[in-house]
Amino acid sequence: MKRFQGIRRSTTATLAAFAIAGSLAFAGCATSDKGGGKSSADDTFVFGNWGGVIPSFDPHRDGRVDSNLVLFPVYDRLVHQSPDGSLVPGLATKWEFTDDLTFAMEIRDLVTFHDDTALDAEAVKANIERAQSIDDGAGPHAATLASIKEVEVTGPLSVVFHLSEPMAALPTLMSEQPGIMISPAAFDTDLNKHPVGAGMYELASYTADSQATFEAYDGYWDQDAIGPKKIQVLFQPDQERRVDALQTGQLDATFAHTAALAKAERLGIDFEPQVAPGYFHLLLNRSRAPFDNVVVRKAMSHAINRDGLIKTLLEGQAEHNQQPFRQESDEFNEGIGPVVYDYNPTKAKELLAEAGLADELSFTCVVAGAGGFVSQFAELVQDNFKEVGIDMQIELVDVPSTAILTEKSADCGILPYGTLSSEVAATQLFSEKGYQNPGGTSTPELDKLVAKVNEPLEGDAREAAFDELTQYVADNALFINLFYHDWAVLTGEGVEGLEWHNGGQYTEFRGIELK
């Protein structure tokens, strides 16, 4: 790969240094003689993960889907997801909508947090209110929880959510980060140093860009779900290195994009492809000029050669789809189709000239500083833009989501996103307070469309509501997607029970066995 053009590095470590650090981290693991799975004599499960910097171990301040893998072992949620995406009891044993604006939950008895604080209805109320109000209401979950106007404690283990408007996705939302429960006694402590949840594991150590180690919590309410007594997550952004580490026995399991499956198959590694709702998109702060101009956004979308990107970097193993929902989903708009703006550099130049920006558009886009394939995506997009007179500088940062979504200091970011709930995705991407809408831009018409898809609709009515939303999004170029990606779970010898959760693109490490 050729050198990046015009890159600024705000991360403290260079890509080369990280590659060395990643190699050392893998080299420090015990290996088996046969390879394809490390020795389980120490009852430690070692997983290779692509991300290396967690924005925060306070889940009310972290909205990244790819943080789930390290947050969920420590923090349990009110509702769990089965691997196929269906909802099952977690810290809540049952729930129901008693009407469109009232949602009741029963909380599991005899559950304690890691600090021995009891989980009860008051703790649930405190967590929801904290997630809504943290950082003066600017937290990543404020938008998706905005319709909860009150959490009423109706009994020691009973709560009722009173809603200001219908919120059909609320049960699903409680299975994701907004449903995480933190010990109320730890609210005012430094959760980055000592996270206190009610999950299967406690965090033993964490080193950014290196590893996170978890040790089993003896007081967990479902002891049968705990397999290995210790889990170690090693961070390495290069999926080729992860596959090699698995084959040589330095890892028990990892995941990789389907482009890596040919190599895994050659090495005799077991894998299971997964279709997930996740994608990488070019996220713009639409409150800033010139990204507030729909003509400019259309020009940028026409300038990107998505098919070339997929062929060059992903061996064709990705879906070219510019809608915010996968083609397999009920929310996909068949009338629009997957290609909203075709690759057309000539059209892109014409639109830029119409906007008065011929050869004058320059901006900076943040990308994960750890490198890996996201940096390669950015380079190809950068080259595409250069062909039409757009100068996109790439800035490598530790956590791009912090720069553009939390601090809102960046013009643009190339980020992954995905969620099981299409209603949640619509809210996060397009509502005024949506975490994936860094500029907080909206219109009265868009607000109505987002509110409509969150109503408890079914069948044709639900499909029509999503069709209206996706048509508005397409007409206004509000979503510049690069591709939808599929993942594969790769496991070494003797690993059983590892299940990948497509909705949230993570594994919970429940029920793993090392044999």
Side-chain angles (χ1 to χ4, degrees):
M1 186 180 74
K2 60 181 181 293
R3 290 176 59 86
F4 281 91
Q5 305 167 18
I7 292 184
R8 293 158 45 197
R9 300 178 186 271
S10 63
T11 182
T12 56
T14 65
L15 293 180
F18 180 78
I20 294 173
S23 298
L24 291 175
F26 283 155
C29 298
T31 60
S32 66
D33 293 333
K34 294 190 295 183
K38 55 165 268 307
S39 170
S40 61
D42 60 354
D43 202 18
T44 299
F45 177 80
V46 183
F47 187 88
N49 190 39
W50 81 282
V53 180
I54 309 305
S56 176
F57 272 97
D58 183 341
H60 294 160
R61 288 189 163 100
D62 186 347
R64 297 197 319 170
V65 173
D66 46 341
S67 294
N68 290 348
L69 189 127
V70 293
L71 290 178
F72 286 0
V74 177
Y75 295 104
D76 213 347
R77 290 108 59 225
L78 291 172
V79 179
H80 288 181
Q81 293 177 16
S82 64
D84 65 4
S86 58
L87 303 181
V88 295
L91 295 177
T93 56
K94 59 182 179 179
W95 55 89
E96 65 173 340
F97 281 101
T98 56
D99 59 52
D100 288 351
L101 299 177
T102 310
F103 180 72
M105 296 192 93
E106 293 295 320
I107 310 305
R108 190 177 297 277
D109 196 7
L110 302 177
V111 173
T112 59
F113 293 97
H114 300 157
D115 60 359
D116 293 328
T117 299
L119 172 73
D120 57 16
E122 291 288 353
V124 173
K125 174 182 172 69
N127 269 270
I128 298 300
E129 292 177 347
R130 183 176 185 267
Q132 288 178 310
S133 62
I134 200 166
D135 296 333
D136 297 323
H141 310 303
T144 51
L145 298 174
S147 297
I148 301 174
K149 66 178 183 181
E150 180 189 2
V151 180
E152 179 187 4
V153 173
T154 56
L157 297 172
S158 303
V159 292
V160 173
F161 293 67
H162 297 284
L163 310 178
S164 59
E165 58 186 358
M167 198 174 175
L170 185 52
T172 301
L173 198 62
M174 293 297 100
S175 73
E176 298 183 344
Q177 286 184 21
I180 278 177
M181 294 291 108
I182 306 169
S183 171
F187 280 178
D188 297 327
T189 66
D190 189 347
L191 294 173
N192 286 315
K193 292 182 178 179
H194 184 55
V196 185
M200 295 187 297
Y201 292 87
E202 298 180 76
L203 182 68
S205 66
Y206 166 70
T207 305
D209 286 339
S210 179
Q211 61 82 38
T213 300
F214 307 90
E215 295 179 351
Y217 171 46
D218 292 338
Y220 188 60
W221 60 270
D222 184 7
Q223 284 292 308
D224 290 341
I226 299 178
K229 295 300 182 184
K230 182 183 291 186
I231 290 176
Q232 186 175 38
V233 178
L234 300 182
F235 302 127
Q236 171 54 259
D238 189 324
Q239 65 179 2
E240 294 288 331
R241 288 174 179 266
R242 295 199 304 272
V243 172
D244 287 339
L246 179 63
Q247 195 273 334
T248 57
Q250 299 173 59
L251 298 175
D252 288 307
T254 187
F255 64 92
H257 189 275
T258 44
L261 293 190
K263 178 174 183 176
E265 190 168 19
R266 288 196 306 271
L267 296 174
I269 296 174
D270 291 333
F271 61 84
E272 183 178 352
Q274 308 286 330
V275 177
Y279 48 78
F280 280 87
H281 62 149
L282 185 75
L283 186 61
L284 300 175
N285 187 331
R286 297 191 301 272
S287 68
R288 299 181 179 184
F291 308 122
D292 57 346
N293 187 335
V294 63
V295 176
V296 173
R297 298 195 298 269
K298 289 180 178 180
M300 294 175 71
S301 198
H302 276 300
I304 300 173
N305 183 0
R306 297 168 176 85
D307 290 331
L309 186 157
I310 291 169
K311 180 179 180 181
T312 301
L313 294 180
L314 302 173
E315 301 181 19
Q317 300 293 325
E319 177 184 306
H320 178 175
N321 173 13
Q322 298 176 35
Q323 292 193 39
F325 310 107
R326 287 204 76 141
Q327 292 188 60
E328 298 89 347
S329 72
D330 294 335
E331 296 78 22
F332 180 80
N333 190 325
E334 297 286 353
I336 298 174
V339 181
V340 181
Y341 297 99
D342 64 327
Y343 174 53
N344 190 333
T346 301
K347 181 66 173 177
K349 291 179 181 180
E350 292 174 354
L351 290 171
L352 288 171
E354 179 184 334
L357 290 172
D359 298 317
E360 294 183 8
L361 176 53
S362 179
F363 62 95
T364 298
C365 198
V366 293
V367 178
F373 64 172
V374 184
S375 300
Q376 297 173 7
F377 303 155
E379 182 181 5
L380 287 185
V381 172
Q382 182 185 53
D383 289 344
N384 288 163
F385 283 160
K386 186 176 181 180
E387 292 176 8
V388 301
I390 297 175
D391 176 27
M392 184 182 83
Q393 298 293 308
I394 298 172
E395 181 179 4
L396 301 179
V397 299
D398 287 332
V399 186
S401 60
T402 298
I404 188 167
L405 300 179
T406 305
E407 298 173 354
K408 306 183 188 304
S409 59
D411 296 320
C412 160
I414 294 180
L415 302 173
Y417 183 60
T419 174
L420 180 67
S421 168
S422 297
E423 291 84 358
V424 171
T427 301
Q428 291 286 46
L429 287 166
F430 308 119
S431 70
E432 183 177 350
K433 293 186 178 180
Y435 186 57
Q436 294 281 327
N437 180 5
T441 58
S442 189
T443 65
E445 183 178 357
L446 184 57
D447 289 341
K448 290 180 181 178
L449 294 172
V450 172
K452 186 67 176 178
V453 300
N454 276 284
E455 294 180 7
L457 305 173
E458 296 182 358
D460 292 344
R462 186 175 184 275
E463 182 178 333
F466 273 98
D467 281 353
E468 286 188 67
L469 173 63
T470 50
Q471 187 66 60
Y472 184 93
V473 168
D475 291 344
N476 291 277
L478 298 179
F479 182 71
I480 302 181
N481 199 33
L482 300 180
F483 59 86
Y484 280 82
H485 55 90
D486 293 337
W487 295 100
V489 181
L490 286 67
T491 55
E493 293 180 8
V495 177
E496 295 185 4
L498 179 66
E499 296 182 310
W500 194 251
H501 292 242
N502 286 339
Q505 304 173 75
Y506 63 94
T507 178
E508 294 195 30
F509 304 118
R510 301 181 75 86
I512 296 173
E513 292 185 66
L514 298 179
K515 299 193 174 182

